[in-house]
Amino acid sequence: QVPRKSLQRGFALSAGSFLVYEAHKLISGFAEVHANFKVEEVIEQADYLYGSGETEKLYRLLVQHKNSDDAELLWRLARASRDLAQLSSTSAEEKRQLAYEALEYAKKALEKNESNFAAHKWYGICLSDVGDFEGIKTKIGNAIVIKEHFQRAIELNPKDATTIHLIGIWCYSFAEMPWYQRKIAATLFATPPTSTFQEALHYFHLAEEADPNFYSKNLLFLGKTYLKLNNKKMALLWLSKAKEYPAHTEEDKQV
């Protein structure tokens, strides 16, 4: 009988352990669902604030989650940090600090999910911003990496008009580059990055095709690029569209 009792006791313990294990799984499952729900809730609030132009509130909401492992939260925090840096009320020192913060958040978003197109896009944007504080040599040195991230973002999401526009800006910048910057580029690269206004125009039109009238700055650069190509008729068409664009943001007003 002793072995039988031992066996029964062993079974009872096993059954108890199984129930504890199942309960743990259930609680963990609830916790996981709750965590996911919370992330989705924060993202929903963040997108609402972004759409409303509430830059400071958006930053305050997202910076609470700077240690998150969620790439969707992190790239939004990178964007919010950058947007806060762009405000005229932000001091020069704060602009610098926020630029570096934004780059770290974008980098972390990429580490968490390399397949997230927005993480690539905002990493490229933030890396370009940091170049403004580190001089022309660093800015040109980062140029290839920036373009690679923009291209990867387009591979992951071919319909994202903003990233297509950014490659257009990249091409325009290199087409317009003054001689002394070309000389710096030649010392940094065996084959320095180059582009043409024709190539820039191609990307600005592609962006407009992907999402017509999506961004005042794309309209402006279509006009500016046509001016560079001595086509004043087409330049006037696109510059007029840029002028008539409803000014919702500070950038729209500048455009």
Side-chain angles (χ1 to χ4, degrees):
Q1 282 193 337
V2 172
R4 186 180 294 173
K5 281 181 182 174
S6 297
L7 186 67
Q8 286 171 342
R9 185 168 174 273
F11 177 75
L13 282 170
S14 298
S17 300
F18 175 75
L19 286 170
V20 169
Y21 172 67
E22 285 300 306
H24 172 71
K25 268 192 5 181
L26 190 64
I27 291 163
S28 299
F30 276 130
E32 196 174 316
V33 169
H34 178 69
N36 287 339
F37 177 75
K38 190 180 177 186
V39 166
E40 287 167 13
E41 200 175 54
V42 173
I43 287 171
E44 193 178 333
Q45 289 174 352
D47 289 348
Y48 173 78
L49 289 171
Y50 181 75
S52 306
E54 296 280 2
T55 306
E56 291 174 26
K57 284 183 185 175
L58 175 61
Y59 176 79
R60 287 199 299 271
L61 169 72
L62 290 174
V63 80
Q64 298 173 64
H65 305 278
K66 65 181 179 182
N67 296 319
S68 170
D69 288 332
D70 193 284
E72 289 291 327
L73 272 177
L74 290 165
W75 73 253
R76 282 172 170 82
L77 177 54
R79 180 181 67 183
S81 304
R82 184 183 186 272
D83 285 351
L84 191 59
Q86 301 292 314
L87 295 180
S88 56
S89 56
T90 306
S91 71
E93 186 49 45
E94 284 172 325
K95 284 179 191 292
R96 182 188 176 89
Q97 186 183 330
L98 286 163
Y100 282 94
E101 260 186 52
L103 181 61
E104 281 306 306
Y105 299 139
K107 185 180 177 183
K108 193 177 172 188
L110 267 183
E111 287 167 1
K112 298 301 175 187
N113 186 358
E114 198 279 334
S115 298
N116 188 301
F117 91 92
H120 282 281
K121 174 169 81 174
W122 286 98
Y123 182 78
I125 292 169
C126 295
L127 188 59
S128 177
D129 287 347
V130 163
D132 292 339
F133 298 101
E134 296 191 354
I136 193 66
K137 195 170 181 179
T138 301
K139 200 162 179 70
I140 295 171
N142 288 338
I144 297 292
V145 179
I146 291 165
K147 191 178 183 184
E148 282 170 357
H149 281 284
F150 289 159
Q151 286 172 328
R152 179 67 179 135
I154 290 172
E155 281 172 23
L156 292 165
N157 184 0
K159 293 186 177 179
D160 184 57
T162 312
T163 314
I164 301 168
H165 163 82
L166 289 168
I167 294 190
I169 293 287
W170 190 97
C171 295
Y172 187 96
S173 300
F174 275 96
E176 195 183 38
M177 185 180 280
W179 67 269
Y180 65 91
Q181 290 184 7
R182 290 186 194 280
K183 200 168 181 180
I184 295 169
T187 64
L188 292 172
F189 302 99
T191 310
T194 58
S195 191
T196 63
F197 291 117
Q198 206 66 50
E199 191 179 7
L201 188 70
H202 168 71
Y203 281 107
F204 294 140
H205 273 299
L206 277 183
E208 208 59 33
E209 285 168 26
D211 190 0
N213 217 38
F214 75 104
Y215 187 28
S216 59
K217 205 168 180 180
N218 199 63
L219 303 174
L220 173 67
F221 270 87
L222 274 161
K224 286 180 73 170
T225 310
Y226 272 116
L227 270 180
K228 292 286 186 183
L229 294 168
N230 295 316
N231 188 334
K232 290 185 180 180
K233 185 180 177 183
M234 289 302 289
L236 183 62
L237 171 71
W238 290 103
L239 290 172
S240 297
K241 287 186 180 188
K243 182 176 178 288
E244 290 156 14
Y245 193 91
H248 296 299
T249 67
E250 219 169 290
E251 188 177 47
D252 291 335
K253 289 171 190 172
Q254 288 168 5
V255 164

